[in-house]
């Protein structure tokens, strides 16, 4: 059993990724760094509300920000995305193995029925 503390970083990443606005922000930041107002422009929401989304992304480590004068620039932090990708990869391997075992079992059942008089 995995300790709860070990799951917390991945939990925060998946909570952040659950929101479509935040996923679109990450897609945009994959192109280049941007300011909060640049990121907020396509969403038609008040900047303070949008900044809450950025806060969620920053707290879970998916983005980082740096203030340059009066402008805060955000950039993608891909290391946390790799955490989610690795977790999903392990789950995929597990289910592929299980499905392969099920496939073998079904084939064996079919063969057993063919060989039964």
């Amino acid at each position: 059993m995995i300790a709860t503390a070990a799951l917390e970083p991945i939990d925060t990443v998946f909570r952040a990724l659950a929101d479509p606005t935040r996923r679109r922000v990450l897609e945009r930041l994959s192109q280049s760094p941007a300011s909060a107002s640049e990121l907020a422009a396509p969403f038609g929401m008040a900047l303070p509300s949008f900044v809450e989304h950025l806060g969620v992304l920053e707290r879970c480590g998916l983005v980082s920000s740096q203030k340059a004068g009066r402008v805060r620039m955000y950039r993608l932090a891909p290391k946390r995305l790799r955490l989610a990708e690795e977790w999903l990869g392990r789950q995929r391997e597990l289910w592929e193995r299980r499905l392969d075992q099920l496939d073998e079992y079904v084939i064996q059942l079919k063969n057993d029925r063919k060989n039964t008089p």
Side-chain angles (χ1 to χ4, degrees), residues 30-45:
S30 70
Q31 298 168 8
S32 66
S35 68
S37 57
E38 287 176 276
L39 293 169
F43 294 100
M45 66 175 73

Side-chain angles (χ1 to χ4, degrees), residues 3-117:
T4 304
L7 293 177
E8 289 176 4
I10 192 75
D11 290 347
T12 61
V13 168
F14 280 117
R15 278 190 202 107
L17 292 173
D19 184 273
T21 299
R22 294 191 284 263
R23 289 193 307 271
R24 286 183 53 203
V25 168
L26 293 175
E27 289 171 11
R28 166 56 184 84
L29 288 175
S30 70
Q31 298 168 8
S32 66
S35 68
S37 57
E38 287 176 276
L39 293 169
F43 294 100
M45 66 175 73
L47 189 59
S49 298
F50 186 79
V51 169
E52 288 181 32
H53 285 290
L54 293 174
V56 170
L57 291 169
E58 193 164 20
R59 282 189 299 277
C60 77
L62 289 171
V63 301
S64 62
S65 70
Q66 186 174 10
K67 196 164 186 177
R70 293 176 47 194
V71 177
R72 181 166 292 278
M73 295 297 290
Y74 291 85
R75 68 180 62 248
L76 186 64
K79 189 175 182 179
R80 282 291 192 196
L81 282 175
R82 279 189 223 107
L83 180 69
E85 181 183 8
E86 290 167 1
W87 185 88
L88 288 168
R90 287 190 304 272
Q91 297 309 305
R92 184 184 59 242
E93 289 172 10
L94 171 73
W95 283 102
E96 285 175 352
R97 194 169 47 252
R98 288 179 177 175
L99 289 171
D100 287 345
Q101 290 170 345
L102 177 61
D103 192 39
E104 290 172 14
Y105 177 72
V106 170
I107 289 170
Q108 183 62 45
L109 284 177
K110 283 183 176 181
N111 288 338
D112 289 350
R113 286 187 184 196
K114 285 180 185 178
N115 296 331
T116 305

